[in-house]
Amino acid sequence: MTILVTGGAGYVGSHTVRAMLEAGYQVVVADNLSTGFRAAVPAACRFYEGDIRDAAFLARLFEQENIDGVIHFAAFSQVGESGKLPLRYYDNNVSGTRVLLEQMTAHDVGTIVFSSSAAVYGEPEQIPIEETAALDPTNCYGETKRVMERMMCWTAAATGLRYAALRYFNACGAHPDGSLGEAHFPETHLIPLVLQVANGQRSEISVFGSDYPTPDGTCIRDYVHVCDLAQAHILALEYLLRGGESTAFNLGSGQGFSVREVIEEARRVTGHAIPAVEKARRSGDPARLVASSEKAQSTLGWRPRYSALSTILQTAWNWHRSHPMGF
Ligand code: UDP
């Protein structure tokens, strides 16, 4: 079974590729290396450097390889940047997905698992968030993910394509063997930034908002380990390959931790004081996002194994300590 992984050189993509090889799949990776790293792609994959917006590039790939299904990660993922450069996000995330779906249709590939995001929900009305909640994104990144989902839905109705949209909550952690992890330039995510303070690369961590309506005043998020996300992609692919119908799944640990709790756990794991400074709220940040992953657990049999906060921070710390400059 040969699976095309777009964006397989990125953070969640590279961990998924590793898990797929371990599960016995042949893996073909397509990545333009704009934010991913060649070193994150194992030698056992066939690697195509190119852009999914380039129809000729994808057509050549589909002609050369016998692709049975696609896992689609290739997209921009920075919320703040998406507000400043919305058209860049529409171009890469939405147009890129359109070209990919056209090429899949042209080459009779009818199965796709793809990265969506909890950002499709915006400010939730109920916690924990279920897949049936309203989709009302509050930032451009989340909007592009919602459009990608809708594009899949209409394409499925027209062509018989089947898809699984995986709505990640806060992806974090690193491979337990320390060889793969998170590397973004610039880094904007809480856990890597906190660990850069512990590593001596930054002097302090900013706490964005301490007046939220939460027990300690800081935002609550559902942190889910990247290796658990990787496993969910394989389970979703297998679900579709055995005839499962198109749908969306939330992927979170089901537990919420505040910014202060994350910093406190990082202090414990690293033994570093990690100075924290209270700053203004970051615009567009909901107070509390926690997933119900009941559907992924019951339909896919997904069981997160690494998503305890201590495991997340320990694996991330192993990675950041041994790879302070990323790959
Ligand atoms: N955050 C923070 N300081 C930082 C980066 C993030 O306080 O330097 C907060 C952010 O406001 C949010 C949480 O940490 O409440 C997680 O943010 P992150 O950017 O990691 O993920 P997001 O929830 O935006 O996907």
mmCIF file of all heavy atoms in Angstrom, residues 158-176:
data_model
loop_
_atom_site.group_PDB
_atom_site.id
_atom_site.type_symbol
_atom_site.label_atom_id
_atom_site.label_comp_id
_atom_site.label_asym_id
_atom_site.label_seq_id
_atom_site.Cartn_x
_atom_site.Cartn_y
_atom_site.Cartn_z
ATOM 1 N N ALA A 158 -19.465 15.167 -5.347
ATOM 2 C CA ALA A 158 -19.427 15.133 -6.815
ATOM 3 C C ALA A 158 -18.687 13.927 -7.373
ATOM 4 O O ALA A 158 -19.010 13.437 -8.446
ATOM 5 C CB ALA A 158 -18.773 16.424 -7.333
ATOM 6 N N THR A 159 -17.665 13.446 -6.642
ATOM 7 C CA THR A 159 -16.777 12.443 -7.256
ATOM 8 C C THR A 159 -16.743 11.105 -6.527
ATOM 9 O O THR A 159 -16.154 10.158 -7.036
ATOM 10 C CB THR A 159 -15.313 12.956 -7.280
ATOM 11 O OG1 THR A 159 -14.829 13.021 -5.919
ATOM 12 C CG2 THR A 159 -15.196 14.320 -7.938
ATOM 13 N N GLY A 160 -17.297 11.062 -5.317
ATOM 14 C CA GLY A 160 -17.194 9.816 -4.549
ATOM 15 C C GLY A 160 -15.929 9.742 -3.709
ATOM 16 O O GLY A 160 -15.690 8.740 -3.028
ATOM 17 N N LEU A 161 -15.111 10.808 -3.743
ATOM 18 C CA LEU A 161 -13.950 10.895 -2.846
ATOM 19 C C LEU A 161 -14.398 10.672 -1.402
ATOM 20 O O LEU A 161 -15.508 11.075 -1.043
ATOM 21 C CB LEU A 161 -13.360 12.313 -2.960
ATOM 22 C CG LEU A 161 -12.229 12.678 -2.001
ATOM 23 C CD1 LEU A 161 -10.886 12.489 -2.700
ATOM 24 C CD2 LEU A 161 -12.354 14.129 -1.534
ATOM 25 N N ARG A 162 -13.563 10.004 -0.603
ATOM 26 C CA ARG A 162 -13.876 9.924 0.831
ATOM 27 C C ARG A 162 -12.732 10.541 1.623
ATOM 28 O O ARG A 162 -11.566 10.340 1.293
ATOM 29 C CB ARG A 162 -14.162 8.489 1.248
ATOM 30 C CG ARG A 162 -15.631 8.133 0.895
ATOM 31 C CD ARG A 162 -16.021 6.689 1.118
ATOM 32 N NE ARG A 162 -15.024 5.844 0.538
ATOM 33 C CZ ARG A 162 -14.237 5.071 1.254
ATOM 34 N NH1 ARG A 162 -14.348 5.021 2.560
ATOM 35 N NH2 ARG A 162 -13.341 4.329 0.653
ATOM 36 N N TYR A 163 -13.104 11.325 2.649
ATOM 37 C CA TYR A 163 -12.090 12.078 3.392
ATOM 38 C C TYR A 163 -12.330 11.973 4.900
ATOM 39 O O TYR A 163 -13.452 11.748 5.356
ATOM 40 C CB TYR A 163 -12.094 13.563 2.983
ATOM 41 C CG TYR A 163 -13.342 14.303 3.407
ATOM 42 C CD1 TYR A 163 -13.413 14.925 4.659
ATOM 43 C CD2 TYR A 163 -14.460 14.359 2.580
ATOM 44 C CE1 TYR A 163 -14.561 15.586 5.072
ATOM 45 C CE2 TYR A 163 -15.617 15.016 2.988
ATOM 46 C CZ TYR A 163 -15.658 15.631 4.235
ATOM 47 O OH TYR A 163 -16.799 16.270 4.637
ATOM 48 N N ALA A 164 -11.255 12.162 5.643
ATOM 49 C CA ALA A 164 -11.352 12.350 7.099
ATOM 50 C C ALA A 164 -10.615 13.636 7.440
ATOM 51 O O ALA A 164 -9.431 13.780 7.113
ATOM 52 C CB ALA A 164 -10.734 11.169 7.841
ATOM 53 N N ALA A 165 -11.357 14.573 8.044
ATOM 54 C CA ALA A 165 -10.762 15.844 8.481
ATOM 55 C C ALA A 165 -10.381 15.684 9.949
ATOM 56 O O ALA A 165 -11.250 15.436 10.789
ATOM 57 C CB ALA A 165 -11.769 16.974 8.320
ATOM 58 N N LEU A 166 -9.099 15.811 10.260
ATOM 59 C CA LEU A 166 -8.655 15.637 11.645
ATOM 60 C C LEU A 166 -8.420 17.014 12.256
ATOM 61 O O LEU A 166 -7.531 17.747 11.829
ATOM 62 C CB LEU A 166 -7.387 14.780 11.691
ATOM 63 C CG LEU A 166 -7.528 13.400 11.035
ATOM 64 C CD1 LEU A 166 -6.278 12.560 11.269
ATOM 65 C CD2 LEU A 166 -8.757 12.653 11.539
ATOM 66 N N ARG A 167 -9.268 17.345 13.207
ATOM 67 C CA ARG A 167 -9.201 18.678 13.836
ATOM 68 C C ARG A 167 -8.323 18.601 15.073
ATOM 69 O O ARG A 167 -8.774 18.203 16.149
ATOM 70 C CB ARG A 167 -10.614 19.148 14.193
ATOM 71 C CG ARG A 167 -11.489 19.338 12.963
ATOM 72 C CD ARG A 167 -12.921 19.697 13.341
ATOM 73 N NE ARG A 167 -13.746 19.844 12.148
ATOM 74 C CZ ARG A 167 -15.072 19.739 12.146
ATOM 75 N NH1 ARG A 167 -15.730 19.479 13.272
ATOM 76 N NH2 ARG A 167 -15.747 19.895 11.022
ATOM 77 N N TYR A 168 -7.048 18.986 14.880
ATOM 78 C CA TYR A 168 -6.106 18.907 16.002
ATOM 79 C C TYR A 168 -6.360 20.040 16.972
ATOM 80 O O TYR A 168 -6.587 21.166 16.567
ATOM 81 C CB TYR A 168 -4.654 19.074 15.589
ATOM 82 C CG TYR A 168 -4.152 18.405 14.363
ATOM 83 C CD1 TYR A 168 -3.067 18.958 13.702
ATOM 84 C CD2 TYR A 168 -4.703 17.230 13.868
ATOM 85 C CE1 TYR A 168 -2.549 18.371 12.579
ATOM 86 C CE2 TYR A 168 -4.183 16.639 12.742
ATOM 87 C CZ TYR A 168 -3.110 17.213 12.091
ATOM 88 O OH TYR A 168 -2.593 16.641 10.974
ATOM 89 N N PHE A 169 -6.175 19.742 18.232
ATOM 90 C CA PHE A 169 -6.098 20.789 19.241
ATOM 91 C C PHE A 169 -4.612 21.200 19.304
ATOM 92 O O PHE A 169 -4.026 21.404 18.260
ATOM 93 C CB PHE A 169 -6.795 20.333 20.530
ATOM 94 C CG PHE A 169 -8.305 20.447 20.341
ATOM 95 C CD1 PHE A 169 -8.978 19.673 19.385
ATOM 96 C CD2 PHE A 169 -9.032 21.399 21.017
ATOM 97 C CE1 PHE A 169 -10.342 19.841 19.131
ATOM 98 C CE2 PHE A 169 -10.404 21.567 20.780
ATOM 99 C CZ PHE A 169 -11.051 20.792 19.836
ATOM 100 N N ASN A 170 -3.979 21.337 20.445
ATOM 101 C CA ASN A 170 -2.606 21.875 20.428
ATOM 102 C C ASN A 170 -1.567 20.771 20.280
ATOM 103 O O ASN A 170 -1.222 20.094 21.262
ATOM 104 C CB ASN A 170 -2.351 22.696 21.698
ATOM 105 C CG ASN A 170 -3.102 24.012 21.646
ATOM 106 O OD1 ASN A 170 -4.330 24.026 21.558
ATOM 107 N ND2 ASN A 170 -2.384 25.111 21.665
ATOM 108 N N ALA A 171 -1.068 20.612 19.063
ATOM 109 C CA ALA A 171 -0.062 19.589 18.779
ATOM 110 C C ALA A 171 1.240 19.950 19.503
ATOM 111 O O ALA A 171 1.682 21.102 19.455
ATOM 112 C CB ALA A 171 0.192 19.527 17.281
ATOM 113 N N CYS A 172 1.846 18.982 20.160
ATOM 114 C CA CYS A 172 3.085 19.284 20.892
ATOM 115 C C CYS A 172 3.813 17.990 21.219
ATOM 116 O O CYS A 172 3.356 16.904 20.888
ATOM 117 C CB CYS A 172 2.766 20.060 22.165
ATOM 118 S SG CYS A 172 1.484 19.301 23.116
ATOM 119 N N GLY A 173 4.986 18.118 21.859
ATOM 120 C CA GLY A 173 5.798 16.949 22.182
ATOM 121 C C GLY A 173 6.706 16.594 21.011
ATOM 122 O O GLY A 173 6.711 17.260 19.971
ATOM 123 N N ALA A 174 7.467 15.534 21.205
ATOM 124 C CA ALA A 174 8.439 15.109 20.192
ATOM 125 C C ALA A 174 8.576 13.596 20.258
ATOM 126 O O ALA A 174 8.152 12.966 21.233
ATOM 127 C CB ALA A 174 9.783 15.775 20.459
ATOM 128 N N HIS A 175 9.201 13.034 19.201
ATOM 129 C CA HIS A 175 9.374 11.580 19.182
ATOM 130 C C HIS A 175 10.167 11.144 20.420
ATOM 131 O O HIS A 175 11.178 11.760 20.751
ATOM 132 C CB HIS A 175 10.105 11.166 17.898
ATOM 133 C CG HIS A 175 9.922 9.717 17.596
ATOM 134 N ND1 HIS A 175 10.603 8.735 18.292
ATOM 135 C CD2 HIS A 175 9.124 9.084 16.719
ATOM 136 C CE1 HIS A 175 10.224 7.550 17.842
ATOM 137 N NE2 HIS A 175 9.327 7.729 16.887
ATOM 138 N N PRO A 176 9.724 10.068 21.100
ATOM 139 C CA PRO A 176 10.412 9.657 22.333
ATOM 140 C C PRO A 176 11.898 9.318 22.124
ATOM 141 O O PRO A 176 12.677 9.396 23.068
ATOM 142 C CB PRO A 176 9.635 8.417 22.798
ATOM 143 C CG PRO A 176 8.306 8.533 22.133
ATOM 144 C CD PRO A 176 8.505 9.284 20.848
#
